Amino acid sequence: MDLGLIFKITAIGLIVACVNIILTKSAKEEYTLLTTITGIIIVIASVIDEIKELFSILESLFNL
């Protein structure tokens, strides 16, 4: 796992948290959920290659 990926996930989390605070303060609570879901989707899309690599390592380890 690359250290840059961890920093990327952290940055996305901080940006989503700040946007959620701003939206909550401006009485736009309905958009905070959409912002959170979008952040989660971005993080999952970033991590999917690492998960694919993990499964290929496990597959080669158990000779499947």
Side-chain angles (χ1 to χ4, degrees):
M1 179 178 258
D2 190 22
L3 191 60
L5 181 65
I6 295 172
F7 287 137
K8 183 178 179 181
I9 293 171
T10 304
I12 291 170
L14 288 172
I15 291 169
V16 168
C18 291
V19 170
N20 282 345
I21 290 170
I22 291 169
L23 289 173
T24 303
K25 296 286 181 180
S26 63
K28 304 277 186 189
E29 287 87 11
E30 62 270 8
Y31 295 116
T32 58
L33 179 63
L34 292 174
T35 307
T36 304
I37 291 172
T38 304
I40 291 171
I41 290 171
I42 292 170
V43 168
I44 289 173
S46 300
V47 175
I48 200 133
D49 289 332
E50 296 293 327
I51 293 171
K52 190 170 102 175
E53 183 180 335
L54 172 68
F55 282 130
S56 68
I57 290 171
L58 289 175
E59 187 178 69
S60 67
L61 179 67
F62 292 113
N63 296 325
L64 296 175

